[in-house]
Amino acid sequence: MMATPSDLASSSVIIFLLNALLAALLNQRQRLMTDICFSLASVGSLLGFIAGVLTVAGGTTEKIVLLLGLPDLPFHLRLDPLSGFFLTVIGLLSFFVSVYSTGYVRGFLGKRSVTGLIVFYCFFIAGMFLVVMADDALIFLISWEVMAAASYFLVLFEHGQIENRRAAFLYIVVAHVGAIGILLSFGILAGLATGFRDFSGYTFDAMRATQFPVGWATAAFLLAFFGFAAKAGIVPLHVWLPEAHPVAPSNVSALMSGVMLKTAIYGIIRVTFDLIKVFPWWWGALVLVMGLITALLGILFALMQKDLKRLLAYSSVENVGIILIGVGLSMVFTAFKFPLLAALAVTASLYHTLNHALFKGLLFMGAGAVHHATHEKNMDMLGGLIHSMPWTAALFLAGCVSISALPPFNGFVSEWLTFQAFLLSPSLPSPLLKLLVPMGAASLALTGALAAACFVKAFGVTFLGHWRGPRNPRIHEVNWPMRLGMIMAAVSCLCLGILPTMVIDWMDTLSAQLTGARIGASAGAYGWMWLTPVAPERASYSGMIVFLGILAVVVSAYLLLHVRPGKIHRVPLWDCGFEKVTPGMQYNATSFSMPIRRIFGFFFSIREHVRVGSHAGHAAFPKRLLYTLRIRDRFWLWLYKPVALSSFWIARKLGRLQQGRIQAYLIYSFITIIVLLVFL
Amino acid sequence: MNLYPFVIELLQFLVLLGIAPVFAGWVKMLKCWSQGRTSPGLFQPYRDIMKLFSKDVVLAENASWIFRFTPYLVFGSALLAGGIIPILSTDLPLAATADVIVLVGLFAIARFFTALAGMDIGTAFGGMGSSREMTIASLAEPAMLMAIFTMSLANKSTSLSQMVQVIYSGQTVLRPSIAFALLAFILIVLAETGRIPVDNPATHLELTMIHEAMILEYSGRHLALIEWAGMMKLCLFMLLGAAAFAPWGIAASGDLYAIPAAFFFMILKLGAAGVVLVLIETGLAKMRLFRLTEFLGSAFLLATLGMLSYFILE
């Protein structure tokens, strides 16, 4: 008998929980623990992946009721195409990352105990699986917290440095502020589902069955959007992301950026499309505008970075923005009853969700490999790694090409679909949207072009040119498990780029569940090679032929030119006849982004100083120039600093209540009781 | 199986490969005349390419595979773009492969790798060129997309062949948005093909070069491929503009006798485009790098205005 998807998914969660226990038991045998636990984790992830693929392909819905938890409030789990899709995304990337981790975590052995890393890694993935399978508010919030807490401890893994502890603290604060929003939102929905009579409204089924009044629904949506925005890193709630993602071990960063942010996207889609169902168009416009701002600011911040992992973290902010653009468009189309266009937009955004998980996972794994080999995160100290790490370089390049939305890789497909959704918007009746949509398309185009500049910088500075650091260390290619994890992710990026019709056909049940319309049949109407989302005469794209076409021309040009043996002379650099070219003369990460910094500088608070260090007699003949550059997020100054300062101020004032004397505390309780007796 | 479209496709590749150097020569010739110099003739670019192909490659010690792979990729993507834009006929088997967004993507991938090749050697000039090229592209590419979007909204398709056919069938109404789009497109062509006032293709003056700075270290057949691809790109942008804004003459479909006429019209349009290009280039001076923001910003603004006016007036 075949196991059903829900069997597979639950056994996968059980594997992860047992795996965490096993890791704790094998504490004394670190090497063995690493090998066994990550192998088991990859098996578990693969099971989750298969469960998700089967659910989406079959379009089935399965429910499980677990008699755990509080009396009379059992846990409900459910696997429908939406959770199946996110299960697929999480399972797929977790599988690649678990394979990678087998090699990556070896780097920590002998330096520090990795037991905590493995235990929380397992809890983290299990938490994410449960979040997308949860079918009531209780288990949703419990698994949400398991996920947040586990990732907090993972961020804190290298807790020796103070900035890691600060980053983890900031992360847990923002995560909990967000969680309050989600909790309140579910409170409103659950209360309305039963008219505030009993607790039975906590299941998602009860919420689905309710027609919410617009006012309450809006309150619930805004709270939920705020809560999920904090998790997804939507501007201005993004500040924790570039702090927390870079300091975590790279395999964890890959999961946090690649899939943890997606659980927030899942939450937004679940609450709006599935639980509330009927909503006014301006919700979609709000999501769209937030997505546009997030995408544009995210990539601009990314361009300013010189720490490779921070750059990647900011680029995750950008990609979450792109995903939200699709979600927002789809909400607008749904509100105006254009199910087909809504299906196109939501397919585009979910396709990008899958794509981003893969290429951002790949890029973080690559950054981890670079850090593993060089112990350096600052790009201004790196360079020339393509010679010593050819595999990592090629795979990282595949990730860069994908994320820059260049054909024939996968990032292009989802961006292309999003543009198609934008171009179908003139049918919208609202004049405000008529203004918004062209501006949206413009800023999405700008974002895409800036992303290409950003990843030319990331790859070019890190892997090309000469080593920039003070000493030239002996760098070697990373071990095979790490390479294997990255190879699989890179190959999936290419496959998703050249076989989009198959993926869209597979996702058909999903858009049917969310919007009631299917685009799979029309998208693949011309055959599997041609992607024609609406109609062949409107737009068509064949990633396969673009790939094969470029390949054919490259190969034939190469062969034609090598018929006659031409010589290749290897000589020193020419550089317009300059002598004594040193590695220090290369463009680095800071100088590469200088023109863009100058053009878009008004978004940041930039402090730039050039000072003459020492000179030969007169300041006009400097021997040494000192250049300092400090770029800060304006949101930090405008939004967070006042909040942080005022909360410290309030805490200090309230702190006076703490006298440390038992008499004072007894008086407090006495007054409280009197007040309660008088007023209640 | 109908072989006719494949013959046309092949013909179009050959025409592009052949005509691109002649067009570059034509522009150079007009420029010489307008500046009172003697021109080297229409076919000088051919001689240059032939010379470069027959030379050995001098490669920097530090060059990696990216540096050697880039010329082939740049050439390949330019040639593939030639199979997508309706130059002679709209009846192209490759036309369905890619619409205008993919076309922009093809140019983007060539630029991406050229910028990487510029950084690969590890010289100051290479990095400078890459940084500037990507900055300019990050403003020019969205403007280009917006201009094209305006046209595709008016013609209800992003496929170029389809757009031409819609214009032929007389469904396109002349709109103010098209004027904005055309204006933006002209500015972008200057930026994307590296002409004055954005970049000067003739200079190797160290501090002003952009595109040339990235390909400084190339030689031999690599340089030949890059130069040839550059000429094709210039020609393709002219032909793209022709197909999107003034497609008259391009054979609609199935008609073999329309091909020579299409060829004739193409020569005519390219000749006129060359004249306009030279007039712009002689009339303007090269801009300082940071003045380019205004130039490209206005292109972006014009294109966005075009799309806005379409949305509002519709």
Side-chain angles (χ1 to χ4, degrees), chain A residues 386-387 390 394 397 400-401 404 406-408 412 416 419-420 422-423 425-426 433-435 437-439 441-443 445-446 448-450 452-453 455-457 459-461 464-466 468 526 530 537-543 545-546 549-550 553-554 557-558 561-562 564 566-576 578 581-582 585-587 591-596 598-600, chain B residues 53-66 68-69 72-73 75-77 79-80 93-99 101-102 105-106 108-109 112-113 115-117 119-128 130-132 134-135 137-139 141-142 145-146 149 152-153 156-159 162 204 206 209 216-217 221-222 225 288-290 293 300 304 307-308 310-312 314:
Chain A
I386 195 170
H387 301 288
L397 180 64
C400 288
V401 172
S404 308
L406 298 176
F412 181 76
W416 188 79
F419 277 131
Q420 294 298 343
F422 267 117
L423 290 179
S425 308
L433 282 174
K434 282 185 189 264
L435 275 175
V437 165
M439 304 301 285
S443 56
L446 185 60
L450 286 169
F455 283 91
V456 165
K457 162 178 152 168
F459 185 80
V461 175
L464 302 179
H466 301 277
R468 291 180 178 78
Y526 247 39
W530 308 87
E537 67 273 5
R538 236 274 29 157
S540 56
Y541 167 59
S542 169
I545 293 186
V546 170
I550 293 180
V553 180
V554 167
Y558 185 83
L561 288 178
H562 287 72
R564 188 180 55 81
K567 270 202 207 127
I568 289 190
H569 306 277
R570 287 279 184 173
V571 293
L573 291 178
W574 175 55
D575 202 27
C576 270
F578 254 43
V581 178
T582 66
M585 290 180 185
Q586 298 173 90
Y587 259 51
S591 47
F592 188 91
S593 52
M594 184 265 176
I596 293 177
R598 195 147 154 187
I599 297 171
F600 294 100
Chain B
F53 271 128
S54 62
K55 290 202 166 195
D56 288 354
V57 174
V58 179
L59 203 61
E61 281 156 352
N62 195 40
S64 71
W65 62 267
I66 292 205
R68 298 174 63 178
F69 170 69
Y72 298 100
L73 182 75
F75 187 76
S77 62
L79 195 59
L80 195 62
L94 277 182
T97 303
D99 60 354
I101 308 177
V102 185
L106 280 177
I109 194 160
F112 188 89
F113 274 87
L116 287 184
M119 300 186 81
D120 189 23
I121 304 291
T123 60
F125 284 134
M128 186 185 78
S130 308
S131 163
R132 291 178 175 180
M134 291 319 285
T135 307
S138 63
L139 292 169
E141 198 190 296
L145 274 177
M146 296 306 286
F149 283 170
S152 57
L153 280 170
K156 302 218 164 20
S157 172
T158 53
S159 152
Q162 188 67 26
H204 282 89
E206 290 146 2
M209 56 186 175
L216 265 184
E217 303 280 332
R221 56 171 177 261
H222 293 156
L225 283 175
R288 212 154 56 81
L289 184 67
F290 288 103
T293 321
F300 188 41
T304 311
M307 199 162 162
L308 262 176
Y310 179 86
F311 268 79
I312 289 170
E314 214 49 20

Side-chain angles (χ1 to χ4, degrees), chain B residues 3-294:
Chain B
L3 271 178
Y4 169 78
F6 292 91
V7 175
I8 298 292
E9 189 73 76
L10 197 66
L11 201 63
Q12 211 168 285
F13 282 132
L14 293 177
V15 164
L16 177 69
L17 285 172
I19 207 94
V22 179
F23 180 65
W26 167 242
V27 172
K28 214 170 264 177
M29 202 159 105
L30 285 175
K31 217 170 174 180
C32 286
W33 288 347
S34 69
Q35 295 170 348
R37 293 186 278 136
T38 320
S39 87
L42 211 52
F43 299 101
Q44 182 59 31
Y46 274 128
R47 287 177 222 129
D48 290 342
I49 292 178
M50 288 313 292
K51 177 189 74 184
L52 285 172
F53 271 128
S54 62
K55 290 202 166 195
D56 288 354
V57 174
V58 179
L59 203 61
E61 281 156 352
N62 195 40
S64 71
W65 62 267
I66 292 205
F67 191 79
R68 298 174 63 178
F69 170 69
T70 299
Y72 298 100
L73 182 75
V74 171
F75 187 76
S77 62
L79 195 59
L80 195 62
I84 295 159
I85 300 175
I87 298 175
L88 295 176
S89 164
T90 59
D91 200 8
L92 302 170
L94 277 182
T97 303
D99 60 354
V100 272
I101 308 177
V102 185
L103 204 64
V104 174
L106 280 177
F107 290 125
I109 194 160
R111 183 187 313 114
F112 188 89
F113 274 87
T114 316
L116 287 184
M119 300 186 81
D120 189 23
I121 304 291
T123 60
F125 284 134
M128 186 185 78
S130 308
S131 163
R132 291 178 175 180
E133 173 90 356
M134 291 319 285
T135 307
I136 290 174
S138 63
L139 292 169
E141 198 190 296
M144 164 114 180
L145 274 177
M146 296 306 286
I148 288 175
F149 283 170
T150 311
M151 282 315 285
S152 57
L153 280 170
N155 298 325
K156 302 218 164 20
S157 172
T158 53
S159 152
L160 270 168
S161 291
Q162 188 67 26
M163 278 159 75
V164 171
Q165 273 166 5
V166 171
I167 295 176
Y168 275 174
S169 64
Q171 289 168 23
T172 319
V173 194
L174 213 56
R175 291 183 172 87
S177 53
I178 294 177
F180 281 120
L182 179 62
L183 214 55
F185 187 79
I186 293 172
L187 298 185
I188 297 150
V189 168
L190 296 177
E192 288 266 352
T193 55
R195 312 300 298 192
I196 290 173
V198 177
D199 188 8
N200 188 352
T203 186
H204 282 89
L205 190 64
E206 290 146 2
L207 295 176
T208 58
M209 56 186 175
I210 299 174
H211 184 258
E212 291 298 319
M214 294 189 292
I215 59 170
L216 265 184
E217 303 280 332
Y218 275 113
S219 57
R221 56 171 177 261
H222 293 156
L223 185 59
L225 283 175
I226 286 191
E227 292 286 344
W228 201 354
M231 294 173 200
M232 287 203 290
K233 190 176 170 187
L234 178 65
C235 195
L236 280 173
F237 266 92
M238 300 299 156
L239 293 168
L240 173 64
F245 294 99
W248 296 279
I250 296 170
S253 60
D255 191 3
L256 201 60
Y257 297 106
I259 298 295
F263 186 75
F264 174 72
F265 273 107
M266 183 197 74
I267 301 280
L268 218 59
K269 282 186 237 174
L270 279 181
V275 173
V276 174
L277 185 65
V278 169
L279 282 180
I280 295 175
E281 284 208 290
T282 342
L284 293 175
K286 191 188 167 310
M287 280 185 180
R288 212 154 56 81
L289 184 67
F290 288 103
R291 289 285 307 284
L292 284 181
T293 321
E294 297 156 28

Side-chain angles (χ1 to χ4, degrees), chain A residues 14-28:
Chain A
I14 292 168
I15 287 180
F16 276 109
L17 296 179
L18 288 179
N19 205 4
L21 193 69
L22 185 68
L25 290 176
L26 285 173
N27 191 17
Q28 300 303 318

